[in-house]
Amino acid sequence: MITETNGVFHIQTGVYSYLFKINSYGIPEHIHFGAPVKTEDAFALSCRPGLGWGSNIVLNPDDTTSCLDTLALEWSGSGRGDYRESPLELAGKSSDFRYVGSKIREGSAPMACSLPQAHGDCQTLELTLEQSDARLILYYTAYPTALVRRAVLENTGSSPMVLNKLMSFCLDLPGTYTMATFNGGWIAEMRRQDVSVRGSKVVNESLTGSSSNRHNPGFLLFEADATEDAGRVYGFNLLYSGNHYAAAQQSLQGLTRIMQGINPSNFSKELAPGEKFETPEAVLCCSDRGFGGLSENMHTFVSDHVIPAYWRGRPRPVLYNSWEGCVFDFNQRRLLDLARRAKDLGCELFVLDDGWFGARNNDKAGLGDYTVNKKKLPEGMEGLSQHIQDMGLEFGLWFEPESVNPDSDLYRAHPGWALTDGFPEVQGRNQLLLDLTKAEVRDYIVENVSRILDSAKISYVKWDMNRHSIALGAKAHDFILGLYEVLGRIFGPRPEILLESCSSGGNRFDLGMLCFSPQVWASDDTDPIERLTIQEGLSYLYPQSTVGAHVSAAPHGQTLRQTPLSTRGNVAFFGCLGYELDLKQLLPVEIREIKAQIAFYKQYREVFQYGRFRRTELGWQVSDGKTTLAGVFHTLVHAAPGYEQLRVRGLKTDTMYRVTALSQAIRVGQFGGLLKHVSPVNVDPNGVLLRVVDRYFTLPEGTEELTASGAALGSGIMLRPLFRGTGYDQSQRTQGDFGSDVYLVEEIEG
Ligand code: GLA
């Protein structure tokens, strides 16, 4: 509900209150963003400057409190005494916007450009501010667990103006915070890093042309005592896939100014008289229930209001992807053999990755030419997809439509379609970007991708993008607008196609892409131990249904690490499960284990994909209220490990629960020469016998089965001990490095 009472605006949901007032100078002053409060609390929650702070610029010489530099503001101009960073810059001009009116409407205010917007039930406050030659509208859209803000600037003067910066929002929060950002690079995405926000500015930005794997646009601000379960945490994110910028800085008065929007670096837009510029939507969330509460609010918002409505709550298929198994080396026979094996394992969707078109036999050629390679696929896409469908599998296809290899028919025909900056071209992965600011390029992509999609039975698309942009200033923004237009034109009329976006893994894991693609390939790094960091980083801001998570071969291509198949599965369960390895090379024991993994995941898929996610002491848990699944992950083992307690959150204290561990197999071969301690015959660790036995036989790890009350589980139940060097026995968890378990915690009826 949004109300206005004597100049005090109150945006209120069951989860948060956002309060600000229009002061006597027509300047919106921020009052509160946090737990729900009453409108009457406005005075008690407002900053009171008393006689002011001295030595400052004041709007009114008779009012020492009219110093903008010391007030908590909703927006700020420049040249009027507020020396903190301004969310708006007009070339060579100050700015001073004052309130002229407001409107409250049901729903959101539609945008005129192709930027994506959150959707669903909501209410919007439009706050209009003006100065002599421009109008600024600040939009506040209230969704149940998040507030969405954006700004629109209009040139109302008679001459052009140059806009160098326009943030989606600006906000001054009282208090001292630490900022958590999520940084990294290719195969190393989403590493949380914390930095204290005091007098020096802290900036989180991307300059690569995309939201980037270097610095995800989402970030958190939290108070020093915040934990997973308690304390104040704010979360911010942007529905945008281009260069982003966010800054936080604390003033002498203890106000922390926060802003987020399109990166102003090298950005400028000339606005003709009457012309407008719209920013992307920014998401603001808060919680007094710690990081866990914040993530819950963010997840709910993303699941209910960001991902395409058709896919809201819809189960995601278990997929097989051809990339890591085949790379570019395949033909129809090999693909159909893999599809048959994938089907036998329990997969539901077969995805043909890169290499199916033009001269795309490696990453040096063919990108841009979307004609099916008939040498590899003699029956075309229609024939291949039909065969796969006849097996009872759905079929999906990889595209990388925004890029072009110079060695391609497309580039030879239209060299001018590649994006250039006037300097000799520089390539990334042997490719250039197409100039999506050109209508004919957008039409080419829409026509070609649509043609392929309509030529076969395709229910899934992986939309990849593997090169960073070049510094193009405002054109980088126009490129992203072009991309959104293209995605809307292709997938708007085909909502039932499951779109998974990818950019060398998680180089574009952002809310802009999620408006079109319900899931994103989180990382080319499928090593489960690395995934613990990547998926946990994502979990702060993005629900698990958005995270593509695959089991691949070990040792891993990214780390050379050898990990148990069980752990690869257990980690990938907490996302949208897929398999990406050469199925022909699987051993009989691995086939058995994968079949069991897929069957288990399917049984609890809705909980894994849509349950409430929590980070815990030993790993992660998901829960739908009745069923909880808790993952316990180990990295390097220590000798003589102590007892381990599993705490399960969110259970009913008086209810009884059954706790079962997913049964796991132990590969005999992993014991090598140690087998002599248990085997009656002397087994050669390097001999044929052990190799053969290892293909077909496993040892049971033993299983956990106990009952406990919700109170006991919340307090922490004792798990079976870990292997201690005193022998193999099913009363303990026989796991070496990188072992893990998944516990099923179910309410006992009656
Ligand atoms: C990128 C993606 C991979 C795969 C390859 C294909 O690297 O991240 O998953 O699709 O491209 O070339």
Side-chain angles (χ1 to χ4, degrees), residues 186 321 323-324 327-328 353-355 360 362-363 367 398-400 429 431 462 464-466 502-506 521 523-524 550 580:
W186 178 64
N321 178 296
W323 178 245
E324 289 202 17
V327 191
F328 294 100
D353 208 281
D354 198 354
R360 188 82 176 153
N362 50 52
D363 64 15
L367 209 53
W398 179 95
F399 290 88
E400 189 175 346
R429 206 191 185 202
Q431 62 200 55
K462 178 172 169 189
D464 208 343
M465 204 289 243
N466 285 303
C502 167
S503 180
S504 307
W521 179 226
S523 176
D524 280 350
H550 297 178
E580 190 167 339

Side-chain angles (χ1 to χ4, degrees), residues 722-737:
L722 286 159
F723 179 76
R724 293 192 176 141
T726 46
Y728 161 74
D729 177 298
Q730 290 191 36
S731 67
Q732 65 183 2
R733 289 173 285 163
T734 306
Q735 296 176 357
D737 285 345

Side-chain angles (χ1 to χ4, degrees), residues 457-478:
K457 298 179 168 58
I458 296 171
S459 60
Y460 163 105
V461 166
K462 178 172 169 189
W463 183 289
D464 208 343
M465 204 289 243
N466 285 303
R467 81 152 279 170
H468 293 305
S469 173
I470 39 185
L472 285 166
K475 210 166 175 183
H477 175 62
D478 292 338

Side-chain angles (χ1 to χ4, degrees), residues 144-164:
T145 63
L147 177 69
V148 168
R149 283 188 60 179
R150 68 184 178 97
V152 177
L153 182 78
E154 182 182 354
N155 179 355
T156 54
S158 51
S159 48
M161 61 171 47
V162 176
L163 176 65
N164 286 337

